[in-house]
Amino acid sequence: MLIIHFLKTFGSYLILMGRTFARPERFRMFWKQYVREMMQLGIDSIPIVLLISFGFGAIICIQMKLNIQSPWMPRWVSGYTTREIMLLEFSSSIMCLILAGKVGSNIASEIGFMRISQQLDALEIMGINSASYVILPKILGFVTIMPILVIFSTAMGIVGAYSTAYIGHIITPEDLTVGLLHDFNPWFVWMSIIKSLAFAFIIASVSSFYGYTVKGGAVEVGKASTDAVVNSSIVTLFSNVFLTELLS
């Protein structure tokens, strides 16, 4: 029974995505919506991304220094591990999971309200593809802005690590710099960006699906918003395993 429900839901999701990625009817209107969604979903998320990344970068550096460092290890290990964790997992995977709560609930509740207030039905009556009109700008807007959020997150994590050196005196700035530069692989930056693009698409599309297919009233919209966050997070976690193995 669970498998049948999953296949039915997945089929409905694919059908909706097929309607979503149709050619926009009015590019001028689409462009306005696209820029609006980039601002609402991406730019407005920058403060929370910077704040969390700063704290996480500082915490990683402190934990590495206090719990892993030993006389047998180079003093730059803390900086090296901080850089690797920020690049490979936090800025792409964990940050996307955090944004799934903010962005996913925002998308699902907004589209869900449009469904129960019959705004989507009105668009269909006027001959407008409501899926493409409402969902496509959200997906493309969030996917476009996500690499910028990843870069900001990584940079702020490194700033957080330096705060432990200059303010907390946990590690010397020189040792931290050596660790951050040691054996740097540029591919890890691209890997983080590629993963974040996939996760951004998952979060935006899954959340849009739950908002678009909601039935009922305000209570159902709230439930759809919760389901959107939970399911997009689960799919993101499983996709992370697959993409990490594929790109490594």
Side-chain angles (χ1 to χ4, degrees), residues 60-61 64 74-88 161 171 175-185 188:
I60 292 175
C61 189
M64 294 299 107
R75 290 179 296 180
W76 46 260
V77 168
S78 297
Y80 174 77
T81 53
T82 299
R83 185 198 72 202
E84 296 295 276
I85 292 175
M86 290 299 300
L87 272 179
L88 293 177
I171 184 175
D175 290 339
L176 180 59
T177 302
V178 171
L180 291 173
L181 298 177
H182 177 74
D183 196 24
F184 175 69
N185 186 354
F188 288 166

Side-chain angles (χ1 to χ4, degrees), residues 25 27 38 61 72 78 83 88 112 143 196 202:
E25 299 177 10
F27 277 97
M38 276 200 299
C61 189
W72 302 100
S78 297
R83 185 198 72 202
L88 293 177
V143 169
S196 70
I202 290 171

Side-chain angles (χ1 to χ4, degrees), residues 13-24 129 131-132 135-136 139-140 143 201 205:
Y13 169 80
L14 293 180
I15 293 173
L16 179 61
M17 289 301 104
R19 292 183 56 203
T20 298
F21 285 91
R23 181 178 180 272
N129 182 353
S132 178
I135 299 176
L136 186 59
I139 294 178
L140 294 184
V143 169
F201 173 80
S205 62

Side-chain angles (χ1 to χ4, degrees), residues 38-58:
M38 276 200 299
M39 294 292 296
Q40 181 176 336
L41 301 179
I43 303 302
D44 291 350
S45 299
I46 289 179
I48 189 173
V49 168
L50 296 180
L51 180 62
I52 295 176
S53 299
F54 178 87
F56 202 84

Side-chain angles (χ1 to χ4, degrees), residues 25-37:
E25 299 177 10
R26 294 185 179 180
F27 277 97
R28 184 178 178 182
M29 183 62 69
F30 169 78
W31 178 255
K32 291 176 63 177
Q33 287 289 102
Y34 171 69
V35 174
R36 173 180 171 273
E37 296 300 341

Side-chain angles (χ1 to χ4, degrees), residues 8 112 115-116 210-221 223-224:
K8 184 178 179 181
R115 170 62 72 188
I116 66 172
Y210 278 98
Y212 192 87
T213 57
V214 69
K215 296 178 181 179
V219 175
E220 284 72 21
V221 172
K223 184 178 183 301

Side-chain angles (χ1 to χ4, degrees), residues 1 5 11 43 60 84 91 103 110 123 127 135 144-145 158 160 167 174 186 188 199-200 202 236 245:
M1 197 68 181
H5 175 71
I43 303 302
I60 292 175
E84 296 295 276
S91 294
V103 175
E110 181 179 341
L123 290 173
I135 299 176
T144 302
I145 206 69
I158 293 175
I167 300 176
E174 293 77 16
F188 288 166
F199 299 154
I202 290 171
T236 297
E245 181 67 23

Side-chain angles (χ1 to χ4, degrees), residues 100-153:
K102 178 183 182 297
V103 175
S105 60
N106 181 294
I107 293 175
S109 59
E110 181 179 341
I111 298 179
F113 177 77
M114 294 179 70
R115 170 62 72 188
I116 66 172
S117 61
Q118 299 181 341
Q119 295 181 47
L120 298 180
D121 296 332
L123 290 173
E124 295 289 346
I125 292 174
M126 291 187 292
I128 298 175
N129 182 353
S130 61
S132 178
Y133 181 84
V134 174
I135 299 176
L136 186 59
K138 295 183 182 297
I139 294 178
L140 294 184
F142 191 47
V143 169
T144 302
I145 206 69
M146 182 53 73
I148 298 176
L149 296 180
V150 169
I151 294 172
F152 281 6
S153 174

